[in-house]
Amino acid sequence: MHRPRRNVLGSPHGGTGQTSAMHSRTRRTRYHWPAYLYLVPALAFYVVFLIRPMVTSAWISLFSWDGISLADWVGLKNYRSVLADPLIWEAVRHSLTFIVFYALLPITLALTVVGIVARIRVRGLTFFRAVLFMPYILSTVVVAISWRWIYDENGPLNGILHTIGLGSLTRAWLGSFSTALTAVGLIGTWITFGLAFVLFISGIQKIPTELYEAARVDGAGPVREFFAVTLPALRGEVRVALVLTVIVALRNFDIVWNTTAGGPGTSTTVPSYYVYEGAFVTHQVGRASAIAVLMTIFILCVVALVMRLMRERPASADRRGIRAPRRRKGSAS
């Protein structure tokens, strides 16, 4: 007598097993739908205070408007004016320079310090972590005013140089064409170093100590241990730190405005400076909105590029040691 074939679950023709699986999926689907309701308040806040202003700004950028009188439709004229302005491109170059000070330099310093911390035991690490992270959460206005005092001709920096016999190096750091951009950039390094350091310290606490012990047994020195164990394990944290610090560098405004106001001349201007100037000083709101839209697109493109370059490449099956099962002779293909 022919018996019905049973599947792995033991049900004939898979009927009971498939039905059970379908009911299970249905229950899971019904269970998850109400959970999305908890996202509605955050989504509404996001749409009202972020998406709507962005769309409004993009719409205003198509008009010639002083913010008070009736607006005149100009289409893409504001965008053509912005893209043809050499001052805007100079400001973009300054923003790209700030990426070095706000992102690359602090991340490199933080990785160096974390590599040292991974080798030795540091007492009071929690205290140092809080102190180093504080500049990132302080008001940028407070930070800018403090550093403006430090960089002053009669400030502490020049005073220290005079004390150690390097009085010839003293100058008005924020008032010199040759040093203003670097001086402002170093403020950014001081601000974002703490963020990168905290992220990396959290990352090394998840690295198994067995990896360090194995590297030391194999005779790895500090440098080789850092590149073989610490840096690969911190790849995710480096990616997050790089994205956050690049965004801070490209949207920089408060530090520049409260230290140099874009000067001397245009040596420290950034795109956001011209957004503020167009909206509140020269009353070219349409042009300022066009700069803001282009600046947003530029930041998204740069961040997308960083994410693509820093993405984790999954190892192939052979690299993971997974091999495809061999077929038996005579088995169906």
Side-chain angles (χ1 to χ4, degrees):
M1 183 176 179
H2 177 71
R3 295 182 180 179
R5 293 171 58 188
R6 294 179 177 269
N7 61 1
V8 178
L9 297 177
S11 58
H13 305 291
T16 306
Q18 292 177 0
T19 304
S20 174
M22 291 176 62
H23 284 308
S24 177
R25 283 198 299 270
T26 303
R27 285 196 299 270
R28 286 199 299 268
T29 303
R30 290 176 180 175
Y31 174 77
H32 284 300
W33 269 112
Y36 289 104
L37 295 177
Y38 291 99
L39 301 178
V40 172
L43 180 61
F45 187 89
Y46 187 82
V47 169
V48 172
F49 294 101
L50 184 65
I51 301 299
R52 181 177 174 273
M54 289 176 61
V55 173
T56 303
S57 181
W59 176 250
I60 293 174
S61 67
L62 303 176
F63 293 85
S64 176
W65 186 40
D66 61 2
I68 301 175
S69 60
L70 293 177
D72 296 325
W73 173 269
V74 294
L76 299 177
K77 181 179 179 181
N78 286 324
Y79 290 94
R80 289 193 293 267
S81 173
V82 169
L83 294 176
D85 191 346
L87 294 178
I88 298 296
W89 289 108
E90 181 188 19
V92 171
R93 289 194 297 271
H94 295 161
S95 291
L96 295 177
T97 303
F98 281 144
I99 291 179
V100 176
F101 291 101
Y102 278 73
L104 302 183
L105 185 56
I107 288 177
T108 302
L109 292 175
L111 285 173
T112 303
V113 175
V114 166
I116 297 173
V117 171
R119 294 279 302 183
I120 61 176
R121 182 180 179 85
V122 179
R123 295 183 178 273
L125 183 60
T126 303
F127 170 77
F128 288 112
R129 183 166 52 185
V131 170
L132 292 174
F133 187 68
M134 191 174 296
Y136 187 76
I137 60 176
L138 283 176
S139 169
T140 52
V141 176
V142 174
V143 172
I145 293 175
S146 301
W147 278 91
R148 191 170 63 188
W149 168 68
I150 293 173
Y151 283 135
D152 189 79
E153 288 187 79
N154 299 318
L157 179 58
N158 285 337
I160 293 173
L161 292 175
H162 276 295
T163 303
I164 62 177
L166 297 176
S168 59
L169 298 179
T170 60
R171 66 191 66 198
W173 298 95
L174 295 175
S176 172
F177 283 90
S178 60
T179 60
L181 188 64
T182 301
V184 175
L186 290 175
I187 300 175
T189 302
W190 182 73
I191 292 173
T192 57
F193 169 78
L195 171 65
F197 179 76
V198 169
L199 287 173
F200 299 158
I201 284 293
S202 301
I204 65 171
Q205 292 176 350
K206 298 182 296 183
I207 302 176
T209 56
E210 292 81 3
L211 295 179
Y212 287 107
E213 293 173 357
R216 291 165 188 170
V217 168
D218 290 341
V223 177
R224 184 181 174 187
E225 179 185 298
F226 173 79
F227 285 101
V229 179
T230 306
L231 188 58
L234 293 178
R235 186 180 182 88
E237 285 77 9
V238 171
R239 183 170 63 251
V240 173
L242 193 57
V243 169
L244 293 177
T245 52
V246 165
I247 292 175
V248 172
L250 295 179
R251 66 175 179 82
N252 182 20
F253 171 74
D254 295 348
I255 298 297
V256 170
W257 180 257
N258 290 288
T259 52
T260 63
T266 58
S267 60
T268 59
T269 54
V270 289
S272 55
Y273 168 83
Y274 289 109
V275 174
Y276 177 87
E277 183 185 56
F280 301 105
V281 180
T282 61
H283 300 291
Q284 296 175 324
V285 180
R287 191 173 188 274
S289 298
I291 298 173
V293 171
L294 292 174
M295 179 180 165
T296 302
I297 296 173
F298 177 67
I299 292 175
L300 291 176
C301 291
V302 173
V303 171
L305 178 63
V306 171
M307 293 288 289
R308 182 176 180 82
L309 294 176
M310 292 295 295
R311 68 180 178 179
E312 296 182 3
R313 295 174 176 82
S316 62
D318 293 337
R319 290 179 182 178
R320 292 194 301 263
I322 302 175
R323 296 181 179 178
R326 296 180 178 178
R327 293 180 178 176
R328 297 180 179 179
K329 293 182 178 180
S331 61
S333 57

